[in-house]
Amino acid sequence: MKLYNNDLSPFSARVRLMLYAKGIDMEMVDPFADLEPDVFKALTPLGKVPTLETDDGWVLPESETICEYLEEIYPEPSMLPADPRERAKVRLLGRLGDLYMLAPLTTLFGNIDPSQRDHDKVVAAFTDLKKSLGWLDHYLDGSGHAVGDSLTLADCALVPILFFVRKMPELFGKSVCLLDAHPNATGYWKGIFDEPVVNRVYEEMDSAMKGTR
Ligand SMILES: N[C@@H](CCC(=O)N[C@@H](CS)C(=O)NCC(=O)O)C(=O)O
């Protein structure tokens, strides 16, 4: 199998974290560096990473869908708890990340360049991000895992998002840590690094980010 991946993409990092946690070896291709745009678009009209391609040529985009598919075909170690309510919480945290945290982060991304910046959009995006961090804090318990006491798909979704939550203020000349107002998220962010695969993904994202500056 092949993963069309970009090391800085939080969506790609979500899938990589899962692959590392499950010990799945997969070929990585960065389509933006290694493929002509038309070739990638012919594979997936979305043209986005991550995209999975199986050995028989079946192509699946969208990080959450890829993770759910991989969980089904590689069920061990499980990254979904056995308890239905805990499973629901894993999925809830993934959706909080996708819908309410990545949306303002994407707006902020598009406004990093000061010469192109829309200040009203930046203010609104930071406001939305802080609000969604409050929601996240409500559902975390301050321990080093999002749900239960082992890695789940919720951690795969949240770690790459919190990477950017912590980096973003500095890119706008602010020296604040957005997690400071959120004790459970702060505890989570400290504890999750006890997982070696989290360190691996963090380093990959950090190196990719340094490469863009
Ligand atoms: N909802 C998608 C979002 C994927 C996405 O937006 N990926 C970005 C990189 S972070 C991308 O490939 N952008 C290229 C483009 O939109 O042309 C997912 O969860 O996989």
Side-chain angles (χ1 to χ4, degrees):
M1 273 199 277
K2 199 183 282 180
L3 186 72
Y4 295 95
N5 162 73
N6 174 274
D7 278 356
L8 188 55
S9 155
F11 307 98
S12 300
R14 178 185 198 169
V15 177
R16 288 202 312 282
L17 185 45
M18 177 184 201
L19 294 174
Y20 300 158
K22 284 185 179 280
I24 303 168
D25 207 20
M26 201 170 284
E27 181 188 352
M28 302 278 171
V29 176
D30 184 336
F32 308 127
D34 303 334
L35 295 182
E36 292 299 324
D38 289 353
V39 173
F40 189 44
K41 283 266 172 69
L43 278 173
T44 163
L46 284 69
K48 293 180 193 291
V49 291
T51 294
L52 182 75
E53 186 177 3
T54 60
D55 292 343
D56 61 355
W58 184 65
V59 177
L60 183 68
E62 288 295 316
S63 59
E64 183 184 48
T65 313
I66 294 169
C67 287
E68 291 275 352
Y69 173 69
L70 291 173
E71 178 67 21
E72 291 191 4
I73 61 169
Y74 296 102
E76 298 296 334
S78 175
M79 299 193 73
L80 280 173
D83 177 70
R85 291 187 184 188
E86 294 219 317
R87 286 167 97 86
K89 193 170 165 192
V90 166
R91 293 184 167 117
L92 170 67
L93 289 169
R95 284 184 71 77
L96 282 186
D98 275 351
L99 296 175
Y100 306 116
M101 303 181 78
L102 282 161
L105 284 171
T106 301
T107 301
L108 292 171
F109 260 126
N111 283 276
I112 287 174
D113 179 354
S115 69
Q116 309 281 327
R117 194 169 288 171
D118 179 328
H119 287 275
D120 290 344
K121 281 191 181 166
V122 169
V123 170
F126 272 114
T127 301
D128 287 348
L129 191 55
K130 286 177 191 166
K131 186 162 70 174
S132 63
L133 277 169
W135 297 344
L136 174 66
D137 205 62
H138 176 87
Y139 290 105
L140 296 176
D141 62 9
S143 71
H145 292 96
V147 181
D149 55 9
S150 61
L151 283 174
T152 63
L153 296 184
D155 300 302
C156 298
L158 291 176
V159 165
I161 291 173
L162 293 180
F163 170 93
F164 280 111
V165 165
R166 291 191 71 259
K167 299 273 185 195
M168 207 49 95
E170 190 195 328
L171 299 172
F172 288 82
K174 299 170 195 275
S175 59
V176 293
C177 175
L178 295 177
L179 294 189
D180 282 351
H182 304 290
N184 290 336
T186 299
Y188 170 70
W189 190 245
K190 281 192 189 129
I192 195 69
F193 284 90
D194 287 348
E195 295 281 358
V197 289
V198 168
N199 286 277
R200 180 175 173 187
V201 167
Y202 183 94
E203 291 303 328
E204 288 170 350
M205 294 182 77
D206 203 41
S207 300
M209 191 155 178
K210 285 177 181 143
T212 64
R213 294 213 203 164

